[in-house]
Amino acid sequence: MRILVTNDDGIHAPGLAHLEAVAAELGAEVWTVAPETDQSGVAHSMSLNDPLRLREVGERRFAVRGTPTDCVLMAVRHVMPQVPDLLLSGINKGQNLAEDITYSGTVAAAIEGTILGVPSIALSQAYSFAPDKQPPYATAEALAPDLIRKLLTLKLPAETLLNINFPDRAPDAIEGVRVTRQGRRNVDFLAIDKRSDGRGNPYYWLAYQGQRAQPDAGTDLDSVRAGYVSVTPLSIDLTHGRVMDDVAGALGVAPGV
């Protein structure tokens, strides 16, 4: 199996090395094409006004000065001699659940792979934001190979990708695996942190408020918090089909086919 590995945390991110180890258990040919620098939060953006710089950093390992989407495009359209059989994106430093999915460069790389016709899976490792706390990547590395092998037996519908999140626990403390739907936080989790520089000029950071959401049962948020690995099927098609007739009625036009 020919596997493409990428991420949004950058070519030197520890999680990427753990994912390369996972990929090596699954296939004989592993290619890594990842961003030169940390691209967390860039979502499904691509570079249209800047050139893409490609740097070879090892055997079948490349860094791209661009976004995760750029990396997947470069890998599939230029770097790799053949289209990969599988794309793995991650292992992200931190969970990608609920609204995180819309911001995530990790998920976006899997979206781009899916658009290009490559079966794609995003993997993220939850962890505490306590000082000096590091993600327990050993959990994702230990559990991911068997999960992926099972998932690869599926014939997923077109335009479908998988988003996997591992709880902040050791491998032997995981409760199990749940297939989940995307959750929604019921608290404002982002705030604007205003500060001043050395000359008294204001600047701002986006900051997490640390409020604890109360997620609905069956969601990715609820499952990871309870100690379960969350596997969420996602679709590229964002159409809200049930609302189409209502919109057509409001506009006085025929519903879509």
Side-chain angles (χ1 to χ4, degrees), residues 125-159:
Q125 177 63 62
Y127 76 107
S128 165
F129 289 114
D132 301 322
K133 184 74 165 61
Q134 293 299 314
Y137 289 118
T139 297
E141 183 175 340
L143 301 178
D146 185 55
L147 271 176
I148 294 170
R149 288 189 187 99
K150 292 176 180 177
L151 292 169
L152 289 177
T153 64
L154 288 171
K155 180 64 175 178
L156 291 173
E159 300 189 346

PDB file of all heavy atoms in Angstrom, residues 125-159:
ATOM      1  N   GLN A 125      -4.961  13.805  18.607  1.00  0.00           N
ATOM      2  CA  GLN A 125      -4.752  13.319  19.971  1.00  0.00           C
ATOM      3  C   GLN A 125      -5.116  14.409  20.968  1.00  0.00           C
ATOM      4  O   GLN A 125      -4.479  15.462  21.023  1.00  0.00           O
ATOM      5  CB  GLN A 125      -3.301  12.889  20.171  1.00  0.00           C
ATOM      6  CG  GLN A 125      -2.962  12.436  21.573  1.00  0.00           C
ATOM      7  CD  GLN A 125      -3.742  11.195  21.981  1.00  0.00           C
ATOM      8  OE1 GLN A 125      -3.596  10.134  21.368  1.00  0.00           O
ATOM      9  NE2 GLN A 125      -4.569  11.320  23.008  1.00  0.00           N
ATOM     10  N   ALA A 126      -6.161  14.174  21.750  1.00  0.00           N
ATOM     11  CA  ALA A 126      -6.563  15.130  22.779  1.00  0.00           C
ATOM     12  C   ALA A 126      -5.531  15.166  23.897  1.00  0.00           C
ATOM     13  O   ALA A 126      -4.842  14.177  24.165  1.00  0.00           O
ATOM     14  CB  ALA A 126      -7.933  14.749  23.338  1.00  0.00           C
ATOM     15  N   TYR A 127      -5.438  16.324  24.559  1.00  0.00           N
ATOM     16  CA  TYR A 127      -4.563  16.435  25.724  1.00  0.00           C
ATOM     17  C   TYR A 127      -4.977  17.638  26.549  1.00  0.00           C
ATOM     18  O   TYR A 127      -5.713  18.521  26.089  1.00  0.00           O
ATOM     19  CB  TYR A 127      -3.087  16.536  25.315  1.00  0.00           C
ATOM     20  CG  TYR A 127      -2.643  17.882  24.771  1.00  0.00           C
ATOM     21  CD1 TYR A 127      -1.839  18.717  25.532  1.00  0.00           C
ATOM     22  CD2 TYR A 127      -3.024  18.292  23.499  1.00  0.00           C
ATOM     23  CE1 TYR A 127      -1.416  19.943  25.023  1.00  0.00           C
ATOM     24  CE2 TYR A 127      -2.605  19.504  22.988  1.00  0.00           C
ATOM     25  CZ  TYR A 127      -1.801  20.334  23.761  1.00  0.00           C
ATOM     26  OH  TYR A 127      -1.402  21.551  23.260  1.00  0.00           O
ATOM     27  N   SER A 128      -4.496  17.671  27.765  1.00  0.00           N
ATOM     28  CA  SER A 128      -4.788  18.768  28.668  1.00  0.00           C
ATOM     29  C   SER A 128      -3.902  19.965  28.334  1.00  0.00           C
ATOM     30  O   SER A 128      -2.750  19.809  27.923  1.00  0.00           O
ATOM     31  CB  SER A 128      -4.524  18.337  30.115  1.00  0.00           C
ATOM     32  OG  SER A 128      -4.478  19.453  30.966  1.00  0.00           O
ATOM     33  N   PHE A 129      -4.456  21.181  28.498  1.00  0.00           N
ATOM     34  CA  PHE A 129      -3.666  22.383  28.259  1.00  0.00           C
ATOM     35  C   PHE A 129      -2.899  22.826  29.513  1.00  0.00           C
ATOM     36  O   PHE A 129      -2.416  23.945  29.567  1.00  0.00           O
ATOM     37  CB  PHE A 129      -4.568  23.524  27.771  1.00  0.00           C
ATOM     38  CG  PHE A 129      -5.081  23.326  26.374  1.00  0.00           C
ATOM     39  CD1 PHE A 129      -6.427  23.129  26.135  1.00  0.00           C
ATOM     40  CD2 PHE A 129      -4.220  23.311  25.298  1.00  0.00           C
ATOM     41  CE1 PHE A 129      -6.914  22.938  24.849  1.00  0.00           C
ATOM     42  CE2 PHE A 129      -4.685  23.115  24.007  1.00  0.00           C
ATOM     43  CZ  PHE A 129      -6.042  22.928  23.783  1.00  0.00           C
ATOM     44  N   ALA A 130      -2.796  21.942  30.486  1.00  0.00           N
ATOM     45  CA  ALA A 130      -2.028  22.271  31.686  1.00  0.00           C
ATOM     46  C   ALA A 130      -0.577  22.535  31.317  1.00  0.00           C
ATOM     47  O   ALA A 130      -0.054  21.990  30.336  1.00  0.00           O
ATOM     48  CB  ALA A 130      -2.117  21.124  32.687  1.00  0.00           C
ATOM     49  N   PRO A 131       0.120  23.394  32.092  1.00  0.00           N
ATOM     50  CA  PRO A 131       1.513  23.721  31.778  1.00  0.00           C
ATOM     51  C   PRO A 131       2.387  22.469  31.659  1.00  0.00           C
ATOM     52  O   PRO A 131       2.292  21.549  32.473  1.00  0.00           O
ATOM     53  CB  PRO A 131       1.942  24.588  32.974  1.00  0.00           C
ATOM     54  CG  PRO A 131       0.671  25.182  33.481  1.00  0.00           C
ATOM     55  CD  PRO A 131      -0.376  24.137  33.265  1.00  0.00           C
ATOM     56  N   ASP A 132       3.215  22.461  30.610  1.00  0.00           N
ATOM     57  CA  ASP A 132       4.184  21.390  30.370  1.00  0.00           C
ATOM     58  C   ASP A 132       3.537  20.040  30.066  1.00  0.00           C
ATOM     59  O   ASP A 132       4.212  19.011  30.061  1.00  0.00           O
ATOM     60  CB  ASP A 132       5.152  21.224  31.558  1.00  0.00           C
ATOM     61  CG  ASP A 132       5.928  22.495  31.835  1.00  0.00           C
ATOM     62  OD1 ASP A 132       6.314  23.174  30.866  1.00  0.00           O
ATOM     63  OD2 ASP A 132       6.135  22.817  33.023  1.00  0.00           O
ATOM     64  N   LYS A 133       2.250  20.019  29.811  1.00  0.00           N
ATOM     65  CA  LYS A 133       1.569  18.760  29.474  1.00  0.00           C
ATOM     66  C   LYS A 133       1.695  18.511  27.983  1.00  0.00           C
ATOM     67  O   LYS A 133       1.410  19.376  27.164  1.00  0.00           O
ATOM     68  CB  LYS A 133       0.099  18.850  29.865  1.00  0.00           C
ATOM     69  CG  LYS A 133      -0.679  17.562  29.643  1.00  0.00           C
ATOM     70  CD  LYS A 133      -0.333  16.509  30.666  1.00  0.00           C
ATOM     71  CE  LYS A 133      -1.350  15.371  30.683  1.00  0.00           C
ATOM     72  NZ  LYS A 133      -1.450  14.647  29.420  1.00  0.00           N
ATOM     73  N   GLN A 134       2.130  17.323  27.613  1.00  0.00           N
ATOM     74  CA  GLN A 134       2.285  16.948  26.215  1.00  0.00           C
ATOM     75  C   GLN A 134       1.251  15.893  25.831  1.00  0.00           C
ATOM     76  O   GLN A 134       0.826  15.090  26.666  1.00  0.00           O
ATOM     77  CB  GLN A 134       3.695  16.409  25.958  1.00  0.00           C
ATOM     78  CG  GLN A 134       4.790  17.450  26.116  1.00  0.00           C
ATOM     79  CD  GLN A 134       4.631  18.604  25.139  1.00  0.00           C
ATOM     80  OE1 GLN A 134       4.389  18.409  23.950  1.00  0.00           O
ATOM     81  NE2 GLN A 134       4.772  19.826  25.642  1.00  0.00           N
ATOM     82  N   PRO A 135       0.832  15.884  24.581  1.00  0.00           N
ATOM     83  CA  PRO A 135      -0.149  14.877  24.158  1.00  0.00           C
ATOM     84  C   PRO A 135       0.394  13.462  24.313  1.00  0.00           C
ATOM     85  O   PRO A 135       1.575  13.216  24.023  1.00  0.00           O
ATOM     86  CB  PRO A 135      -0.373  15.212  22.675  1.00  0.00           C
ATOM     87  CG  PRO A 135       0.072  16.622  22.519  1.00  0.00           C
ATOM     88  CD  PRO A 135       1.193  16.809  23.493  1.00  0.00           C
ATOM     89  N   PRO A 136      -0.436  12.530  24.732  1.00  0.00           N
ATOM     90  CA  PRO A 136       0.005  11.127  24.836  1.00  0.00           C
ATOM     91  C   PRO A 136      -0.066  10.441  23.465  1.00  0.00           C
ATOM     92  O   PRO A 136      -0.917   9.582  23.212  1.00  0.00           O
ATOM     93  CB  PRO A 136      -0.996  10.527  25.824  1.00  0.00           C
ATOM     94  CG  PRO A 136      -2.249  11.308  25.592  1.00  0.00           C
ATOM     95  CD  PRO A 136      -1.798  12.710  25.261  1.00  0.00           C
ATOM     96  N   TYR A 137       0.854  10.833  22.584  1.00  0.00           N
ATOM     97  CA  TYR A 137       0.825  10.298  21.216  1.00  0.00           C
ATOM     98  C   TYR A 137       0.915   8.772  21.179  1.00  0.00           C
ATOM     99  O   TYR A 137       0.482   8.147  20.206  1.00  0.00           O
ATOM    100  CB  TYR A 137       1.981  10.883  20.410  1.00  0.00           C
ATOM    101  CG  TYR A 137       1.839  12.339  20.067  1.00  0.00           C
ATOM    102  CD1 TYR A 137       2.754  13.276  20.536  1.00  0.00           C
ATOM    103  CD2 TYR A 137       0.799  12.796  19.259  1.00  0.00           C
ATOM    104  CE1 TYR A 137       2.642  14.623  20.218  1.00  0.00           C
ATOM    105  CE2 TYR A 137       0.675  14.138  18.936  1.00  0.00           C
ATOM    106  CZ  TYR A 137       1.603  15.048  19.421  1.00  0.00           C
ATOM    107  OH  TYR A 137       1.482  16.375  19.106  1.00  0.00           O
ATOM    108  N   ALA A 138       1.481   8.183  22.236  1.00  0.00           N
ATOM    109  CA  ALA A 138       1.589   6.724  22.276  1.00  0.00           C
ATOM    110  C   ALA A 138       0.220   6.064  22.198  1.00  0.00           C
ATOM    111  O   ALA A 138       0.088   4.944  21.695  1.00  0.00           O
ATOM    112  CB  ALA A 138       2.306   6.285  23.551  1.00  0.00           C
ATOM    113  N   THR A 139      -0.815   6.761  22.674  1.00  0.00           N
ATOM    114  CA  THR A 139      -2.167   6.212  22.607  1.00  0.00           C
ATOM    115  C   THR A 139      -2.624   6.088  21.160  1.00  0.00           C
ATOM    116  O   THR A 139      -3.066   5.025  20.709  1.00  0.00           O
ATOM    117  CB  THR A 139      -3.139   7.109  23.394  1.00  0.00           C
ATOM    118  OG1 THR A 139      -2.746   7.115  24.778  1.00  0.00           O
ATOM    119  CG2 THR A 139      -4.566   6.596  23.280  1.00  0.00           C
ATOM    120  N   ALA A 140      -2.516   7.185  20.409  1.00  0.00           N
ATOM    121  CA  ALA A 140      -2.912   7.155  19.001  1.00  0.00           C
ATOM    122  C   ALA A 140      -2.055   6.178  18.210  1.00  0.00           C
ATOM    123  O   ALA A 140      -2.572   5.414  17.382  1.00  0.00           O
ATOM    124  CB  ALA A 140      -2.806   8.551  18.401  1.00  0.00           C
ATOM    125  N   GLU A 141      -0.764   6.163  18.481  1.00  0.00           N
ATOM    126  CA  GLU A 141       0.124   5.270  17.724  1.00  0.00           C
ATOM    127  C   GLU A 141      -0.195   3.809  17.993  1.00  0.00           C
ATOM    128  O   GLU A 141      -0.137   2.969  17.088  1.00  0.00           O
ATOM    129  CB  GLU A 141       1.587   5.560  18.070  1.00  0.00           C
ATOM    130  CG  GLU A 141       2.548   4.713  17.260  1.00  0.00           C
ATOM    131  CD  GLU A 141       4.017   5.062  17.504  1.00  0.00           C
ATOM    132  OE1 GLU A 141       4.294   6.179  17.982  1.00  0.00           O
ATOM    133  OE2 GLU A 141       4.872   4.214  17.212  1.00  0.00           O
ATOM    134  N   ALA A 142      -0.557   3.492  19.238  1.00  0.00           N
ATOM    135  CA  ALA A 142      -0.849   2.100  19.582  1.00  0.00           C
ATOM    136  C   ALA A 142      -2.179   1.624  19.001  1.00  0.00           C
ATOM    137  O   ALA A 142      -2.298   0.467  18.571  1.00  0.00           O
ATOM    138  CB  ALA A 142      -0.864   1.940  21.100  1.00  0.00           C
ATOM    139  N   LEU A 143      -3.174   2.509  18.976  1.00  0.00           N
ATOM    140  CA  LEU A 143      -4.518   2.087  18.597  1.00  0.00           C
ATOM    141  C   LEU A 143      -4.847   2.299  17.120  1.00  0.00           C
ATOM    142  O   LEU A 143      -5.717   1.612  16.564  1.00  0.00           O
ATOM    143  CB  LEU A 143      -5.551   2.839  19.446  1.00  0.00           C
ATOM    144  CG  LEU A 143      -5.449   2.648  20.964  1.00  0.00           C
ATOM    145  CD1 LEU A 143      -6.508   3.484  21.662  1.00  0.00           C
ATOM    146  CD2 LEU A 143      -5.582   1.194  21.344  1.00  0.00           C
ATOM    147  N   ALA A 144      -4.180   3.247  16.488  1.00  0.00           N
ATOM    148  CA  ALA A 144      -4.548   3.623  15.123  1.00  0.00           C
ATOM    149  C   ALA A 144      -4.381   2.501  14.098  1.00  0.00           C
ATOM    150  O   ALA A 144      -5.264   2.327  13.235  1.00  0.00           O
ATOM    151  CB  ALA A 144      -3.763   4.856  14.691  1.00  0.00           C
ATOM    152  N   PRO A 145      -3.292   1.739  14.100  1.00  0.00           N
ATOM    153  CA  PRO A 145      -3.133   0.742  13.028  1.00  0.00           C
ATOM    154  C   PRO A 145      -4.295  -0.241  12.917  1.00  0.00           C
ATOM    155  O   PRO A 145      -4.810  -0.488  11.822  1.00  0.00           O
ATOM    156  CB  PRO A 145      -1.824   0.035  13.407  1.00  0.00           C
ATOM    157  CG  PRO A 145      -1.054   1.063  14.167  1.00  0.00           C
ATOM    158  CD  PRO A 145      -2.091   1.799  14.964  1.00  0.00           C
ATOM    159  N   ASP A 146      -4.731  -0.803  14.038  1.00  0.00           N
ATOM    160  CA  ASP A 146      -5.829  -1.771  13.983  1.00  0.00           C
ATOM    161  C   ASP A 146      -7.133  -1.102  13.558  1.00  0.00           C
ATOM    162  O   ASP A 146      -7.906  -1.669  12.762  1.00  0.00           O
ATOM    163  CB  ASP A 146      -6.005  -2.438  15.353  1.00  0.00           C
ATOM    164  CG  ASP A 146      -7.050  -3.548  15.328  1.00  0.00           C
ATOM    165  OD1 ASP A 146      -6.922  -4.465  14.502  1.00  0.00           O
ATOM    166  OD2 ASP A 146      -8.002  -3.474  16.126  1.00  0.00           O
ATOM    167  N   LEU A 147      -7.378   0.121  14.063  1.00  0.00           N
ATOM    168  CA  LEU A 147      -8.574   0.857  13.661  1.00  0.00           C
ATOM    169  C   LEU A 147      -8.596   1.088  12.152  1.00  0.00           C
ATOM    170  O   LEU A 147      -9.610   0.872  11.487  1.00  0.00           O
ATOM    171  CB  LEU A 147      -8.617   2.209  14.375  1.00  0.00           C
ATOM    172  CG  LEU A 147      -9.297   2.292  15.741  1.00  0.00           C
ATOM    173  CD1 LEU A 147      -9.139   3.702  16.296  1.00  0.00           C
ATOM    174  CD2 LEU A 147     -10.760   1.930  15.641  1.00  0.00           C
ATOM    175  N   ILE A 148      -7.476   1.550  11.634  1.00  0.00           N
ATOM    176  CA  ILE A 148      -7.406   1.877  10.211  1.00  0.00           C
ATOM    177  C   ILE A 148      -7.573   0.622   9.361  1.00  0.00           C
ATOM    178  O   ILE A 148      -8.264   0.645   8.327  1.00  0.00           O
ATOM    179  CB  ILE A 148      -6.092   2.607   9.892  1.00  0.00           C
ATOM    180  CG1 ILE A 148      -6.079   3.979  10.593  1.00  0.00           C
ATOM    181  CG2 ILE A 148      -5.910   2.786   8.390  1.00  0.00           C
ATOM    182  CD1 ILE A 148      -4.739   4.678  10.537  1.00  0.00           C
ATOM    183  N   ARG A 149      -6.951  -0.473   9.762  1.00  0.00           N
ATOM    184  CA  ARG A 149      -7.112  -1.723   9.006  1.00  0.00           C
ATOM    185  C   ARG A 149      -8.589  -2.092   8.890  1.00  0.00           C
ATOM    186  O   ARG A 149      -9.074  -2.503   7.831  1.00  0.00           O
ATOM    187  CB  ARG A 149      -6.339  -2.853   9.685  1.00  0.00           C
ATOM    188  CG  ARG A 149      -4.821  -2.761   9.547  1.00  0.00           C
ATOM    189  CD  ARG A 149      -4.152  -4.018  10.053  1.00  0.00           C
ATOM    190  NE  ARG A 149      -2.717  -3.875  10.085  1.00  0.00           N
ATOM    191  CZ  ARG A 149      -2.022  -3.581  11.189  1.00  0.00           C
ATOM    192  NH1 ARG A 149      -2.664  -3.413  12.345  1.00  0.00           N
ATOM    193  NH2 ARG A 149      -0.715  -3.458  11.154  1.00  0.00           N
ATOM    194  N   LYS A 150      -9.325  -1.973   9.984  1.00  0.00           N
ATOM    195  CA  LYS A 150     -10.748  -2.313   9.963  1.00  0.00           C
ATOM    196  C   LYS A 150     -11.526  -1.338   9.081  1.00  0.00           C
ATOM    197  O   LYS A 150     -12.410  -1.737   8.317  1.00  0.00           O
ATOM    198  CB  LYS A 150     -11.301  -2.294  11.386  1.00  0.00           C
ATOM    199  CG  LYS A 150     -10.767  -3.409  12.267  1.00  0.00           C
ATOM    200  CD  LYS A 150     -11.280  -3.291  13.688  1.00  0.00           C
ATOM    201  CE  LYS A 150     -10.750  -4.414  14.567  1.00  0.00           C
ATOM    202  NZ  LYS A 150     -11.192  -4.267  15.982  1.00  0.00           N
ATOM    203  N   LEU A 151     -11.195  -0.064   9.182  1.00  0.00           N
ATOM    204  CA  LEU A 151     -11.913   0.946   8.411  1.00  0.00           C
ATOM    205  C   LEU A 151     -11.649   0.813   6.911  1.00  0.00           C
ATOM    206  O   LEU A 151     -12.511   1.144   6.093  1.00  0.00           O
ATOM    207  CB  LEU A 151     -11.528   2.347   8.898  1.00  0.00           C
ATOM    208  CG  LEU A 151     -12.016   2.696  10.304  1.00  0.00           C
ATOM    209  CD1 LEU A 151     -11.356   3.980  10.790  1.00  0.00           C
ATOM    210  CD2 LEU A 151     -13.528   2.834  10.339  1.00  0.00           C
ATOM    211  N   LEU A 152     -10.473   0.327   6.564  1.00  0.00           N
ATOM    212  CA  LEU A 152     -10.149   0.165   5.148  1.00  0.00           C
ATOM    213  C   LEU A 152     -10.933  -0.963   4.478  1.00  0.00           C
ATOM    214  O   LEU A 152     -10.930  -1.074   3.256  1.00  0.00           O
ATOM    215  CB  LEU A 152      -8.641  -0.079   4.972  1.00  0.00           C
ATOM    216  CG  LEU A 152      -7.743   1.137   5.246  1.00  0.00           C
ATOM    217  CD1 LEU A 152      -6.279   0.758   5.101  1.00  0.00           C
ATOM    218  CD2 LEU A 152      -8.098   2.280   4.305  1.00  0.00           C
ATOM    219  N   THR A 153     -11.615  -1.800   5.269  1.00  0.00           N
ATOM    220  CA  THR A 153     -12.459  -2.831   4.683  1.00  0.00           C
ATOM    221  C   THR A 153     -13.774  -2.247   4.172  1.00  0.00           C
ATOM    222  O   THR A 153     -14.520  -2.913   3.464  1.00  0.00           O
ATOM    223  CB  THR A 153     -12.772  -3.944   5.704  1.00  0.00           C
ATOM    224  OG1 THR A 153     -13.548  -3.395   6.782  1.00  0.00           O
ATOM    225  CG2 THR A 153     -11.486  -4.540   6.258  1.00  0.00           C
ATOM    226  N   LEU A 154     -14.057  -0.976   4.563  1.00  0.00           N
ATOM    227  CA  LEU A 154     -15.287  -0.311   4.127  1.00  0.00           C
ATOM    228  C   LEU A 154     -15.154   0.224   2.712  1.00  0.00           C
ATOM    229  O   LEU A 154     -14.073   0.642   2.297  1.00  0.00           O
ATOM    230  CB  LEU A 154     -15.599   0.870   5.051  1.00  0.00           C
ATOM    231  CG  LEU A 154     -16.098   0.578   6.462  1.00  0.00           C
ATOM    232  CD1 LEU A 154     -16.125   1.874   7.264  1.00  0.00           C
ATOM    233  CD2 LEU A 154     -17.478  -0.058   6.416  1.00  0.00           C
ATOM    234  N   LYS A 155     -16.264   0.227   2.013  1.00  0.00           N
ATOM    235  CA  LYS A 155     -16.373   0.938   0.746  1.00  0.00           C
ATOM    236  C   LYS A 155     -17.214   2.180   1.034  1.00  0.00           C
ATOM    237  O   LYS A 155     -18.443   2.163   0.953  1.00  0.00           O
ATOM    238  CB  LYS A 155     -17.028   0.059  -0.321  1.00  0.00           C
ATOM    239  CG  LYS A 155     -17.173   0.763  -1.678  1.00  0.00           C
ATOM    240  CD  LYS A 155     -15.827   1.105  -2.296  1.00  0.00           C
ATOM    241  CE  LYS A 155     -16.023   1.688  -3.688  1.00  0.00           C
ATOM    242  NZ  LYS A 155     -14.744   2.088  -4.312  1.00  0.00           N
ATOM    243  N   LEU A 156     -16.529   3.255   1.435  1.00  0.00           N
ATOM    244  CA  LEU A 156     -17.242   4.467   1.821  1.00  0.00           C
ATOM    245  C   LEU A 156     -17.853   5.154   0.601  1.00  0.00           C
ATOM    246  O   LEU A 156     -17.297   5.075  -0.505  1.00  0.00           O
ATOM    247  CB  LEU A 156     -16.295   5.431   2.529  1.00  0.00           C
ATOM    248  CG  LEU A 156     -15.797   5.010   3.908  1.00  0.00           C
ATOM    249  CD1 LEU A 156     -14.729   5.988   4.401  1.00  0.00           C
ATOM    250  CD2 LEU A 156     -16.939   4.932   4.900  1.00  0.00           C
ATOM    251  N   PRO A 157     -18.954   5.857   0.782  1.00  0.00           N
ATOM    252  CA  PRO A 157     -19.511   6.639  -0.328  1.00  0.00           C
ATOM    253  C   PRO A 157     -18.519   7.700  -0.789  1.00  0.00           C
ATOM    254  O   PRO A 157     -17.624   8.111  -0.041  1.00  0.00           O
ATOM    255  CB  PRO A 157     -20.751   7.297   0.290  1.00  0.00           C
ATOM    256  CG  PRO A 157     -21.073   6.483   1.487  1.00  0.00           C
ATOM    257  CD  PRO A 157     -19.764   5.958   1.992  1.00  0.00           C
ATOM    258  N   ALA A 158     -18.676   8.124  -2.032  1.00  0.00           N
ATOM    259  CA  ALA A 158     -17.829   9.202  -2.541  1.00  0.00           C
ATOM    260  C   ALA A 158     -17.998  10.442  -1.671  1.00  0.00           C
ATOM    261  O   ALA A 158     -19.050  10.659  -1.074  1.00  0.00           O
ATOM    262  CB  ALA A 158     -18.206   9.517  -3.986  1.00  0.00           C
ATOM    263  N   GLU A 159     -16.962  11.233  -1.596  1.00  0.00           N
ATOM    264  CA  GLU A 159     -16.951  12.493  -0.848  1.00  0.00           C
ATOM    265  C   GLU A 159     -17.079  12.281   0.656  1.00  0.00           C
ATOM    266  O   GLU A 159     -17.553  13.155   1.385  1.00  0.00           O
ATOM    267  CB  GLU A 159     -18.046  13.446  -1.346  1.00  0.00           C
ATOM    268  CG  GLU A 159     -17.902  13.806  -2.820  1.00  0.00           C
ATOM    269  CD  GLU A 159     -18.848  14.908  -3.249  1.00  0.00           C
ATOM    270  OE1 GLU A 159     -19.797  15.214  -2.504  1.00  0.00           O
ATOM    271  OE2 GLU A 159     -18.639  15.466  -4.336  1.00  0.00           O
TER     272      GLU A 159
END
